[in-house]
Each structure stands twice: as C-alpha cells, then as structure tokens.
Amino acid sequence: MQKIGMTTTVPMEVIYAAGMIPVDLNNIFITHENPQSLVEEAEIAGYPRNLCAWIKGLYTTTLQNEDIRTIIAVTQGDCSNTHALMETLEMAGVKVIPFAFPFDRDYDLLKLQMEKLIESLGTSWEAVQRTKARLEQVRQRVKELDRLTWQGDRVSGWDNHLFQVSCSDFEGDPEAFASRLDTYLAELPQRNPIKADIRLAYIGVPPIMDDLYDYLEERGARVVFNEVQRQFTMPFAIDDIVEQYRTYSYPYGIFYRLEDITRELERRQVDGVIHYAQSFCYRQIEDLIIRQKLKYPILTLEGDKPNKLDARTRMRLDAFLDILR
C-alpha cells in the first residue's frame, strides 16, 4: 500500500479510504534514533540555523524515507515555513498535495478542501464516512485513556502524550494500534499509583525534548491535560466529518483554542499550566494572549532542538513547582 506523508494532522479518513497509509512525518522524525542528526543534515543542505527544528527534521525525514514520495502539506493552520519546505521537497522530486484549514473555520471552505483531497487521492465521500466510523472505534479507546489520566492515578503524562499524539496517523494501522492500547489499558490495575500532589496542564505543540514528563513526575507533579495531543484524537463526538475537523482546534486561532483549554483546565482541576513554545515559531507571540486570558499560574518553556531538558529549564521547572506548593 502506498504511504502518504503528512506535515501535520489532516483528515486521515480520506487517506485510509483511498487504500493508502498515512504517515505523520513528525512522529517519524522525533522517534528517529538520532533526530538531531536529521536537523543537522537539513542545515548542511542549506536550511538556516535560525529556523524551527521540526521543519528541518521533516525535510530530512522525507528524503530518507524513499517509500514516501507523496506528502500532504498543510499550508494554512500550521507552520508558515511549510511553504518553503514544500518547494524544497518538490525540487527533490517529492509530490506535494497542499491542504488548508480556513483561518475563520468556514464550513464551506473546509468542505471544499476536503473535496479536493478526496478527488486528488481518488476516493469518495461514502468511503470516507465508512472510514470515519471505523476510526471512531479506536478513538473511543483513546478517550477512555485520557479520562483515566485525569480521573485516575495510573496513566502517566508521557503515556497520555504518546498514545494521543500517535492518533495523528494511528501508526499506519488503526487495528494494531487499538490492540496495543487495549493491552495497556488492561494492565493499568496492576500498576502502582503515581504519587503526585501537583496537577499540571501542558498546552502548545508537543515538546521536542523527551524527558519533560518523567522529570515532572520525579518532582511530584504530573500532567493531566495535554492540549494539542488530545486534539489529535478528535475528542468530540460529531457525525459530520467536516464539522469534526472544524471543531478540531489546533489549526485555528488562539481564541478558539482557549475555549477548549479553559473548559478542560476547570474540569481537570489543574494547579498550573506549562505553555510550550518552539523556538522560531510564530506561536510564541500567542504567549502574551494566553497569559492575559488564563487565570492560572503559567510557566512558558521554549525548546529548540531534539534533546533532553537542559539545566536552566530544570531549574525553572523546580522553581515553578515550588511556587505551586
């Protein structure tokens, strides 16, 4: 089956309905045995050093995976640097299909984008709707995992992050993913409770460092809300697939995202918020709005390249947790 790369979440129902396999390039990049080497290879090719590491990682990841010769690139609703990423990949012989989430969440414009994607991949609305029902069975299991994260004490913030972020493509095999998740859920009662007296929310794009959640739990805090990762699961029960991707908050404005964030912070009774912003990303500017709108203690973290937490960031986390206590 043909693999289709994606620069971020798109209506994957269309890809599966076309008999193809969606591959979230971000997940391939960050789980590479040496993701920093992928960033450096892009810089050697000519990508600027003062550019988001995710874009550079996606570039090299696409070129190294020769079984991915077509990608769907989100040109509106994600990173503006994706435009240049598309052009450099086209020059390398990769076929690029653009997809745009309308900034104002206009239903008709979003439906038109999905129709163009359906036509481009050679499938139909009927097949897409059947695929939606198939994927909904998997999504229900992930919703249960998320519920157990904030209503129970045995799902770690990292596991919550990992399962939810994987919903951007279901690792190319929804049924195998569901089976792995079922096994995880079945083993939960035998796990030791996580001892943490501070409940945190993590908002913003997924972190580029991989030890944040473990570090927080070592310090007696745990993440009970992963904002963007949860959005990848399509957490709202909606029959209309266009409306489903119109409700999905990540590609739209910060004020719409804040509606969901505020609702979940109250529901999950968090003590503080970690806002993660990627270096050189326009979303860093939104931090000033978040700080004005959310009535919670907020720590803003910035990450650059795939790595571990540095000493300065660990010190800031320690100070933040001390304040919350």
Side-chain angles (χ1 to χ4, degrees):
M1 296 170 70
Q2 181 183 352
K3 291 184 177 179
I4 302 289
M6 308 181 302
T7 59
T8 186
T9 294
V10 298
M12 79 177 86
E13 289 86 348
V14 180
I15 303 172
Y16 277 120
M20 302 172 181
I21 300 174
V23 179
D24 188 331
L25 298 169
N26 297 279
N27 296 344
I28 302 280
F29 160 54
I30 204 62
T31 57
H32 187 275
E33 61 181 7
N34 186 3
Q36 176 59 22
S37 68
L38 304 181
V39 175
E40 292 169 355
E41 283 194 39
E43 291 176 351
I44 291 171
Y47 270 68
R49 292 190 181 277
N50 58 345
L51 183 74
C52 170
W54 286 99
I55 286 291
K56 290 182 277 193
L58 298 191
Y59 172 75
T60 309
T61 296
T62 304
L63 295 185
Q64 285 192 355
N65 285 269
E66 296 182 355
D67 54 346
I68 301 175
R69 292 301 88 190
T70 300
I71 69 165
I72 300 172
V74 173
T75 57
Q76 188 172 345
D78 194 32
C79 176
S80 59
N81 291 316
T82 299
H83 294 194
L85 172 67
M86 292 166 57
E87 293 165 343
T88 51
L89 288 176
E90 282 184 347
M91 194 168 65
V94 177
K95 179 182 178 182
V96 178
I97 302 172
F99 185 88
F101 288 96
F103 182 76
D104 60 357
R105 303 176 54 243
D106 184 274
Y107 183 96
D108 294 333
L109 287 177
L110 180 57
K111 184 177 182 182
L112 177 62
Q113 284 292 309
M114 293 178 68
E115 283 179 345
K116 292 173 69 175
L117 186 60
I118 287 170
E119 181 180 354
S120 178
L121 298 186
T123 183
S124 65
W125 279 109
E126 291 75 18
V128 169
Q129 198 61 39
R130 287 195 298 272
T131 304
K132 180 182 183 302
R134 170 191 170 200
L135 298 185
E136 186 59 30
Q137 298 179 27
V138 186
R139 287 173 172 143
Q140 288 297 329
R141 294 171 165 93
V142 184
K143 290 171 188 172
E144 176 64 5
L145 170 92
D146 187 41
R147 186 192 67 78
L148 291 171
T149 303
W150 63 276
Q151 291 190 329
D153 56 3
R154 286 177 168 78
V155 179
S156 69
W158 170 255
D159 288 343
N160 178 281
H161 155 84
L162 197 59
F163 276 109
Q164 291 193 119
V165 84
S166 298
C167 291
S168 60
D169 62 3
F170 290 117
E171 300 174 347
D173 188 337
E175 283 69 33
F177 176 82
S179 177
R180 190 164 68 83
L181 178 53
D182 286 343
T183 300
Y184 177 88
L185 293 173
E187 293 173 352
L188 279 182
Q190 286 75 49
R191 290 193 168 206
N192 293 325
I194 300 169
K195 297 180 180 178
D197 59 345
I198 296 177
R199 295 165 67 89
L200 296 173
Y202 176 96
I203 65 174
V205 297
I208 202 165
M209 66 283 281
D210 63 5
D211 58 343
L212 172 63
Y213 297 92
D214 289 343
Y215 185 79
L216 290 171
E217 289 184 9
E218 288 172 8
R219 296 299 187 274
R222 59 187 293 245
V223 173
V224 297
F225 176 49
N226 281 303
E227 181 230 345
V228 169
Q229 297 92 323
R230 173 175 170 269
Q231 287 297 317
F232 291 164
T233 72
M234 305 295 142
F236 309 104
I238 298 173
D239 291 334
D240 182 342
I241 191 170
V242 178
E243 187 64 24
Q244 172 180 295
Y245 281 94
R246 205 177 76 87
T247 306
Y248 163 57
S249 68
Y250 171 69
Y252 305 113
I254 185 61
F255 295 109
Y256 180 65
R257 281 178 54 206
L258 281 169
E259 292 178 18
D260 174 65
I261 292 170
T262 302
R263 186 168 52 243
E264 291 303 318
L265 295 185
E266 293 177 0
R267 190 163 71 124
R268 300 177 189 229
Q269 299 181 325
V270 306
D271 301 302
V273 176
I274 293 176
H275 176 216
Y276 177 81
Q278 181 66 32
S279 297
F280 312 114
C281 177
Y282 77 95
R283 294 183 187 274
Q284 286 183 309
I285 303 170
E286 295 175 339
D287 187 66
L288 68 90
I289 300 174
I290 290 171
R291 287 184 171 276
Q292 289 188 34
K293 292 294 183 180
L294 294 183
K295 306 304 179 187
Y296 289 82
I298 299 173
L299 174 68
T300 303
L301 291 184
E302 180 181 349
D304 183 8
K305 296 179 179 178
N307 210 330
K308 303 294 182 185
L309 293 170
D310 58 28
R312 175 175 170 272
T313 303
R314 291 198 299 271
M315 187 180 303
R316 294 188 66 220
L317 286 167
D318 290 345
F320 184 59
L321 297 180
D322 286 344
I323 291 171
L324 295 180
R325 287 193 172 93

